[in-house]
């Protein structure tokens, strides 16, 4: 069962990968670009501006480190109904770490650690 609301329209990059959604209803007539973690970006007034905001946010931020309940984590997997984060630094066999499954959209307990 998908946690993505029906009023969120997917925005895909040229290779077909979903980079986010455009929320048509929450702040109508404004549109809300929503990133791949389900986090809202700043409202915009038109469709091209929403697409531009999602393209600018992109998917690269998913490689950043995040904070979750006192743990530094990274995104391991994204689904339409959940986000899996891990304390493992890599996907190497010996780097097990601890995994946490969060609902989608990722709530406020997950925060992005600012790049230095």
């Amino acid at each position: 069962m998908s946690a993505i609301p029906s009023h969120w329209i997917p925005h895909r990059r040229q290779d077909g990968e979903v980079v986010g959604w455009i929320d048509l209803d929450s702040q109508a007539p404004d549109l809300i670009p929503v990133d791949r973690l389900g986090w809202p970006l700043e409202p915009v007034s038109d469709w091209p501006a929403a697409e531009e905001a999602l393209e600018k946010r992109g998917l690269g931020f998913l490689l950043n480190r995040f904070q979750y309940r006192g743990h530094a984590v990274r995104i391991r997997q994204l689904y339409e109904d959940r986000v899996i984060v891990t304390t493992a630094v890599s996907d190497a066999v010996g780097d097990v770490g601890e995994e946490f499954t969060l609902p989608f959209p990722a709530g406020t307990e997950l925060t992005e650690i600012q790049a230095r």
Side-chain angles (χ1 to χ4, degrees):
M1 183 170 145
S2 175
I4 298 171
S6 61
H7 62 275
W8 287 15
I9 306 302
H11 174 67
R12 300 175 187 279
R13 49 183 202 197
Q14 288 184 339
D15 67 1
E17 182 78 21
V18 173
V19 294
W21 297 268
I22 299 173
D23 177 345
L24 301 175
D25 292 346
S26 295
Q27 291 191 19
D30 286 339
L31 304 174
I32 306 296
V34 179
D35 74 16
R36 194 58 183 84
L37 288 175
W39 292 343
L41 305 178
E42 290 296 317
V44 296
S45 60
D46 60 39
W47 195 268
E51 290 180 323
E52 182 180 337
L54 289 171
E55 291 292 328
K56 184 177 179 183
R57 179 71 163 155
L59 296 174
F61 80 98
L62 296 172
L63 297 174
N64 293 344
R65 299 292 285 177
F66 294 82
Q67 187 78 19
Y68 178 70
R69 294 185 177 175
H71 300 279
V73 297
R74 65 182 178 86
I75 306 297
R76 174 155 282 165
Q77 294 176 307
L78 287 172
Y79 299 97
E80 291 187 358
D81 63 346
R82 66 192 182 285
V83 177
I84 299 174
V85 298
T86 181
T87 59
V89 176
S90 72
D91 286 324
V93 174
D95 191 4
V96 179
E98 186 175 0
E99 280 191 1
F100 303 95
T101 300
L102 290 63
F104 178 88
T108 57
E109 285 187 286
L110 183 69
T111 56
E112 192 171 357
I113 297 173
Q114 297 299 319
R116 294 175 188 183

